[in-house]
Amino acid sequence: AHEVRDKDERAKLLQDELEKMPKNVNRNLYTYRIMDIINSIAKQKAEIDKIIQDVRQVQKDINSIGERLQRAEVLADEKIFVKANQAKKDPAMVQSYRYLSDLRAKFDDLIDVVSGIGRKESEARDLEGKTAQLLERVSKNNIERILEDLGQVQAENQTLVAQLRARKNASA
C-alpha cells in the first residue's frame, strides 16, 4: 500500500511536470538541431583524424631524418678521425675533428632546445584547453544561477499578483 501511494505521488509529480512543459514543441526543429550537432561532431572527428595522421607522418619524417643524420655523422666522424690519425697528428685534421665534435655538441643542444620548446607549446595548449573548460564551467554555473534567480523572481511575481488580486477582491 505504501509503494502504491509513493508511485501515485510520483505519477502526479511527473504529470505536473508534463503540464508545465511547453505544448508547442516543434519536433522537426529539435530533430534538425540534433542532426546538425551530429554532423558537426562527424566533421570534427574527421579533422581530428587528419591532424593525428599529419602528426604521425611528421614523427616518421623526424625519425627518418634523425637516423639519416646519425649515419652521416658517424661516417664523417670516422673519416675525419682516420685522416687525422693517418696524417700523424696533422693540426688541420685534429682541428677538423674538434670542430666536428663541437658541431655535434651544438646540434645536441639545439635538439634539446627545440624539444623543450615543443613541450612548452604542448603544455601551453593543455593549459589553454583547461582554461576554456573552466571558463565554460563558470559561465554554465552563472547561467544556472541566473535561471534560479529568474525562477525565484517569477515565483515572487506570481505571489504578489495573487496577493494583489486577493486584496482587490477583498476590497470589492
Side-chain angles (χ1 to χ4, degrees):
H2 182 65
E3 286 181 32
V4 173
R5 280 192 301 254
D6 289 343
K7 288 186 179 186
D8 284 341
E9 289 176 15
R10 177 79 175 141
K12 280 184 180 181
L13 288 173
L14 291 173
Q15 184 65 32
D16 290 342
E17 285 183 34
L18 179 64
E19 290 173 4
K20 290 178 185 177
M21 293 180 127
K23 301 298 182 212
N24 57 353
V25 174
N26 187 350
R27 292 198 183 281
N28 290 334
L29 178 64
Y30 284 123
T31 305
Y32 175 77
R33 286 182 182 170
I34 291 169
M35 294 304 291
D36 189 41
I37 290 169
I38 290 171
N39 290 336
S40 175
I41 290 171
K43 286 179 186 177
Q44 289 174 358
K45 186 178 183 319
E47 289 177 19
I48 289 170
D49 289 343
K50 183 180 176 187
I51 290 170
I52 289 171
Q53 255 183 336
D54 289 346
V55 167
R56 286 183 180 150
Q57 185 60 43
V58 167
Q59 188 64 43
K60 285 179 185 177
D61 292 345
I62 288 171
N63 291 341
S64 173
I65 291 170
E67 290 170 1
R68 204 174 334 149
L69 178 64
Q70 191 173 14
R71 288 190 302 268
E73 182 183 305
V74 167
L75 184 63
D77 184 65
E78 183 181 325
K79 285 188 177 192
I80 292 174
F81 185 76
V82 168
K83 290 288 184 181
N85 278 341
Q86 285 177 351
K88 300 205 182 196
K89 305 280 183 182
D90 180 12
M93 286 298 170
V94 172
Q95 188 63 32
S96 296
Y97 189 74
R98 285 185 187 145
Y99 286 152
L100 180 63
S101 295
D102 289 345
L103 181 66
R104 185 182 314 129
K106 298 290 184 194
F107 188 73
D108 288 342
D109 292 344
L110 180 63
I111 289 174
D112 290 342
V113 168
V114 170
S115 297
I117 289 171
R119 282 191 301 275
K120 295 298 181 188
E121 287 176 349
S122 178
E123 289 173 10
R125 278 193 301 272
D126 291 345
L127 289 174
E128 286 173 0
K130 288 179 183 178
T131 302
Q133 287 176 344
L134 288 173
L135 288 174
E136 185 176 317
R137 189 181 318 154
V138 167
S139 64
K140 185 178 179 182
N141 288 341
N142 288 342
I143 289 173
E144 289 174 356
R145 284 188 207 139
I146 290 170
L147 290 175
E148 286 176 16
D149 291 346
L150 178 63
Q152 289 175 355
V153 167
Q154 288 174 340
E156 288 175 14
N157 286 344
Q158 288 176 353
T159 304
L160 291 173
V161 166
Q163 288 175 356
L164 285 174
R165 285 184 183 156
R167 286 183 185 171
K168 188 175 182 182
N169 289 339
S171 65

